Amino acid sequence: MSFYVNDDYLYCDGLKIKDIQEQVPHSPFYLYSLDQITANYTAYETALEGLESIIGYAIKANNNLAILRHLRKLGSGAVLVSGNELRIAMAAGFDPEQMLLNGNGKTHPELILAARHGVMINVDSEFDFEHIQQAARVAEKTVNVLIRINPDVDPQVHHYVSTGIKNSKFGIRNERLHWFLDRINDDSRLNLVGVHCHLGSTIKKTSIFRDATELMMEFIDEIRSQGFEVKYLNIGGGLGIDYERTGEAIPSPADLIDSIRDLLTSDVGLIIEPGRSIIGNTAAFVNRVVGVKTNGNKNFIVTDGSMAELIRPSLYDTYQHIDFIEPVDAEIEAYDVVGPVCESADFLGKDRSLSTPHEGAGLVVYDAGAYCYAMSSNYNLKMRPPEYLVDGENLVEIRRAENLEDYMRLFETTQ
Ligand code: LLP
């Protein structure tokens, strides 16, 4: 584990986080472990040994350029959901042929960009199909496409992150499969390379992936019977992580791949699109306590970090573990950990048993690598925090703090 307690102080690899907090000029900030990123990626790579595969890191989870460059160096591909994600993936040096553009509302410019660079594109609907055809014509390229199928398997996760059930806004209507196949057949600029499904995020059971793989292999058989070569099965996003930090046994990438390996025929390559399980547990969001208060019924620890920098608890009512980075020996109480943003939805954690901290005490929200910075905002004109990376015993700033001048620049129009 990259984050561990030693003598009541929290460390990230070789560095004491309290020392970092005292050294850096900003609070709050995000802190990443390079070793943990490498370990998480390598776990997928090892799990996939012997299979033709692409690990398409889901950039939406965390798009820090330094992190992207590191994952690219490790051999990762990239899964994109916008033209800008494509551009940042190019800037990070990813191979466009190892990239896939997903989405239910891809725009013309995004599709043309993807077609020009030879990025694979997922077909999500009838209109999306027509837009991809147009993009291929404009770009004068042949486009490798996958069809996003909706396997209708319940991933047993929060309904906001469940995407593979019948009522989801993603994917084609399966009964229309032949409509898509006929049209792909008729268009020499489109080349069907695979089928895609994504059931949802935070999945913790391999049986769910297995159920989906069984169904998807049936679709592959059906498509092949129509004379298509199907090179890839894309099983979508990766595994959930142990946000509760209770030591719950969450399947490893090896468990996941081993659970479906026997279903895959030797002529099918696997694409997997992990985001959270690559980057989630590699970071902590480091705050300072502004003060402690009570309203008689409830006690609050008020921190300088808020829903503006980390919205997952407010948005999904999800749990991310919170603890101090230094010894805090005062009385233990039940606290809501809240930020300074002017609304009651602003909390990082509720009903946590924590010692009563002194002002300025350091406090972290764990597992803040995925969908945290990436979903941050300027609400209340809070500026986005800096990001630091621990590389062994070295601290590297991998994104500077945003400042008000950056923000004010947006009002300098040309008219
Ligand atoms: N592929 C597709 C098509 C996806 O929609 C997603 C995530 C992924 C891959 C990556 O899934 P992962 O390996 O990270 O589970 N903001 C939410 C998560 C939304 C995920 C959406 N799709 C959160 O903070 O929990």
Side-chain angles (χ1 to χ4, degrees):
M1 265 308 194
S2 291
F3 292 91
Y4 59 93
V5 178
N6 188 6
D7 268 346
D8 289 337
Y9 282 93
L10 184 66
Y11 283 72
C12 176
D13 295 325
L15 297 180
K16 192 189 264 187
I17 300 183
K18 190 67 195 172
D19 292 344
I20 300 175
Q21 190 175 51
E22 261 146 32
Q23 179 191 334
V24 305
H26 280 93
S27 182
F29 60 90
Y30 279 90
L31 185 69
Y32 297 82
S33 156
L34 187 69
D35 284 352
Q36 191 66 52
I37 300 174
T38 307
N40 292 349
Y41 179 83
T42 311
Y44 275 102
E45 193 180 48
T46 312
L48 286 160
E49 259 164 30
L51 284 175
E52 149 134 42
S53 61
I54 297 176
I55 302 171
Y57 167 66
I59 290 192
K60 66 163 90 165
N62 187 311
N63 57 35
N64 184 292
L65 187 56
I67 291 172
L68 297 183
R69 286 197 172 119
H70 182 66
L71 287 167
R72 189 260 304 161
K73 278 193 206 132
L74 293 173
S76 185
V79 165
L80 322 163
V81 289
S82 69
N84 283 342
E85 286 195 355
L86 197 163
R87 290 184 183 95
I88 204 166
M90 297 293 294
F94 283 91
D95 174 359
E97 290 185 4
Q98 305 263 307
M99 291 187 204
L100 167 65
L101 180 63
N102 268 322
N104 63 321
K106 304 184 273 303
T107 63
H108 288 288
E110 289 173 330
L111 290 169
I112 293 167
L113 187 69
R116 280 213 171 105
H117 286 287
V119 170
M120 291 181 276
I121 304 180
N122 249 351
V123 178
D124 187 84
S125 62
E126 286 85 346
F127 79 75
D128 191 47
F129 176 78
E130 281 157 14
H131 295 176
I132 295 168
Q133 282 187 308
Q134 289 158 14
R137 245 176 278 134
V138 174
E140 297 181 359
K141 294 272 187 189
T142 302
V143 177
N144 288 331
V145 295
L146 289 86
I147 300 180
R148 180 161 179 169
I149 286 173
N150 203 324
D152 199 19
V153 171
D154 181 359
Q156 302 166 28
V157 297
H158 190 288
H159 60 283
Y160 279 14
V161 292
S162 167
T163 47
I165 49 173
K166 209 165 166 38
N167 287 341
S168 159
K169 71 170 181 173
F170 300 102
I172 65 155
R173 210 156 26 113
N174 299 347
E175 305 85 73
R176 298 279 281 167
L177 178 63
H178 286 266
W179 184 93
F180 289 96
L181 294 178
D182 291 346
R183 273 158 191 76
I184 292 173
N185 219 1
D186 289 347
D187 191 330
S188 60
R189 287 205 183 278
L190 299 186
N191 182 25
L192 182 67
V193 293
V195 288
H196 172 274
C197 68
H198 172 71
L199 303 172
S201 204
T202 69
I203 300 175
K204 292 184 183 170
K205 287 188 190 160
T206 56
S207 59
I208 291 170
F209 286 98
R210 189 172 168 88
D211 290 349
T213 305
E214 270 173 5
L215 285 162
M216 294 300 284
M217 288 306 289
E218 285 170 21
F219 280 108
I220 289 182
D221 284 346
E222 189 179 337
I223 296 170
R224 283 190 168 158
S225 72
Q226 303 299 307
F228 290 90
E229 262 179 53
V230 182
K231 197 168 163 205
Y232 289 116
L233 166 60
N234 183 335
I235 54 163
L239 290 156
I241 60 173
D242 181 17
Y243 280 114
E244 287 75 18
R245 297 209 155 227
T246 52
E248 179 194 357
I250 296 207
S252 65
D255 296 331
L256 165 60
I257 302 303
D258 288 346
S259 76
I260 60 171
R261 204 179 266 271
D262 65 306
L263 299 174
L264 302 170
T265 48
S266 61
D267 49 1
V268 173
L270 193 68
I271 302 179
I272 184 158
E273 310 180 329
R276 193 185 313 272
S277 48
I278 297 271
I279 202 69
N281 70 351
T282 70
F285 178 50
V286 187
N287 299 253
R288 269 184 204 277
V289 173
V290 180
V292 174
K293 64 186 275 187
T294 181
N295 67 10
N297 297 321
K298 263 203 171 297
N299 304 314
F300 299 96
I301 295 173
V302 184
T303 57
D304 51 8
S306 70
M307 69 185 288
E309 298 85 9
L310 195 153
I311 200 175
R312 296 190 71 257
S314 308
L315 187 59
Y316 309 116
D317 206 13
T318 47
Y319 183 95
Q320 288 188 225
H321 195 60
I322 293 177
D323 213 344
F324 298 110
I325 64 173
E326 59 193 296
V328 177
D329 291 328
E331 209 176 322
I332 296 180
E333 302 277 359
Y335 281 109
D336 282 6
V337 180
V338 300
V341 162
C342 204
E343 71 168 71
S344 300
D346 178 28
F347 64 91
L348 298 172
K350 287 204 160 158
D351 281 324
R352 306 296 174 89
S353 278
L354 289 166
S355 296
T356 304
H358 50 277
E359 287 183 13
L363 172 148
V364 287
V365 181
Y366 282 94
D367 302 307
Y371 308 107
C372 290
Y373 191 102
M375 293 174 72
S376 63
S377 76
N378 288 124
Y379 191 34
N380 281 208
L381 269 196
K382 289 191 103 236
M383 294 297 114
R384 287 189 173 80
E387 295 182 292
Y388 295 93
L389 178 78
V390 177
D391 177 1
E393 304 213 329
N394 296 320
L395 185 69
V396 189
E397 186 184 62
I398 54 169
R399 173 160 11 202
R400 72 161 168 84
E402 193 182 32
N403 58 40
L404 190 62
E405 288 71 52
D406 295 323
Y407 192 83
M408 293 300 277
R409 224 168 279 140
L410 302 172
F411 299 102
E412 293 167 10
T413 64
T414 46
Q415 290 147 53

